[in-house]
Amino acid sequence: MSERDDDRPGRARGATRRKVLGIGGALGLTAATGLSTAAALARHPPFTGDELRSAAPLPPAFQVPLPLPSALAPISTSGGIDRYEITQREAAVEILPGVRTPMWTYGGTFPGPTIESRRGRPVTVRHHNELPVPTVVHLHGGHTPASADGYPTDLVLPEGWPDPARTGRAGHGMSGHGMSGHGMSGHGASGMQGMRDPRAVVTRLTRDYTFPLDQRPALLWYHDHRMDFTAPAIWRGLAGMHIVRDDAEDSLGLPAGRRELPLMIADRVFTAAGALDYPALDPTLRGRPGVRDAYLAGVLGDVILVNGAPWPVHEVDAARYRLRVLNASNARHYELEAVTDNGRRLDLVQVGADQGLLAAPVAHRLLPIAPAERYDVVIDFAGVPVGGRVRVVNRLGSGRTRDVMAFRVAREATDESRVPRVLSRDLPAWRRSDAARVRELSFRAGRMHGGHGWLIDGRPFDPARTDVTVPLGDVEVWRLVADVHHPVHLHLVGFRVLSRGGRPPLPHDAGLKDTVSLRPGESAEIITRFDGYRGRYLFHCHNAEHEDMGMMANLEVV
Ligand code: C2O
Ligand code: CU
Ligand code: CU
């Protein structure tokens, strides 16, 4: 591990005499190079990725009703623990009207069923893997012991998958054919290291994940996290929502019941036959990881789904609604606005971030949301005439990807909900002077085993290497530097955004986050305390293609 004295001007007092740590070599140099490339990239389009085109006929916007994923019923609730069971299996799901799309699902639906839980009340989910490949479940945003956090090599093997103990291959049993070729060629080598991960805990057919959920109420989501194959697995349907609630939040008076809508936004592409299209090098997702060269920066779809429906519409009362928005897209960014028929933009009053309630509401007209981020917003339809429509549009989209969904105001209604001026008083308020150390980490494109890679501090992911070691309970400041868009996510902990580009954070950076959207050429500082559990965790870019192509690193809490 390299380190250097931090002698830059402008460093906050608390950290002046501390070291700035990175994980690779030649740290300062890496970061500086990142910044200069960045200046050029800053004028580039707001996407990192390329769009695939659907061959299937697509429905008109705002016709399909918005589905609301059903809440999963517990198998038992005894002993202070709620137990659930989910079978991961292939299913034909109706996404486009009248078309059956083969998907990989949690329990037969997309999104998977929603898990409703209470703060501090543990939940155990028994997952059965009936898919043709190994899987592993991660609860994104969960404050979870490492053994249940879904480390990418902690695989659940399906029926008939070779025994890793005998073959030495935990994750890539079918890769008898060579991993050579161009583009992602070398990445197989990183997969090979994964197979030899001595700490992997591999099970067959099933695994219980226990989540203590001793954390702030928030919208979390669960998704697949298999090494090298997370992006195509999520794309095929392995994603669902998980809501944590508590009494304090319930008593605020925010819109609730049918006026609270979880919205999972994700883009997809459909073949003429109605199957999902994805540019995987190995469409079986059994052997060789990676995508075709044109999509190395990320895969974008031309169909925008909300809760699994294309450009849906939802009937609402002329009242306040709480929208719990999750961007579950692999690589697509959105800048959402809510526009009435006559062009008026409604306020999106943010009440919560990735990790729960803000201290106080923040009103937005335009809400940027990067992959894996969640925004909890209240929108008031009271001023919209009955019969009127409010479209949610993505300012970053073009053509049909500009539309996201619509609300049709169906009736007048009484509204007893409110948005209190104070939402929560338990937000951690770490100061720079609390930080035991400052780390600098670059997120940049680079070469990986002879092919293209996405690297953290110049290195691709390797499960056998510890990148960052943090003593349990320490507060740290991380300065994250990007070349292009990278939504950076930390497992285990929520953090606050301290600065962006050397300036105060943006309005939508408020609250406690677990994913921060680094814009092209930007450096942002985050601060957090690493508390709760020791063990091996991750941080990574949540552009899912970047993640699969190396942009992930190990965080060891000791
Ligand atoms: Cu959404 Cu490593 O996770
Ligand atoms: Cu996560
Ligand atoms: Cu990235």
Side-chain angles (χ1 to χ4, degrees), residues 152-153 155 168-172 188-198 200 227-228 461-464:
T153 53
L155 299 171
R169 304 188 154 210
H172 305 262
S190 147
M192 297 294 289
Q193 290 165 7
M195 293 169 223
R196 288 194 298 268
D197 176 12
M227 182 157 164
D228 298 336
F461 180 59
D462 178 353

Side-chain angles (χ1 to χ4, degrees), residues 3 5 29 32-33 62 107 113 123 194 207 243 266 268 297 300 309 317 319 378 428 435 485 495 512 518 521 535:
E3 52 187 66
D5 285 307
L29 198 62
T33 314
F62 318 139
V123 158
R207 181 165 181 144
I243 299 177
R268 293 292 185 271
L300 306 176
D317 302 337
V378 172
H485 266 294
F495 53 78
L512 195 63
L518 301 179

Side-chain angles (χ1 to χ4, degrees), residues 98-109:
V99 177
R100 314 282 286 172
T101 296
M103 298 186 78
W104 288 358
T105 69
Y106 291 120
T109 62

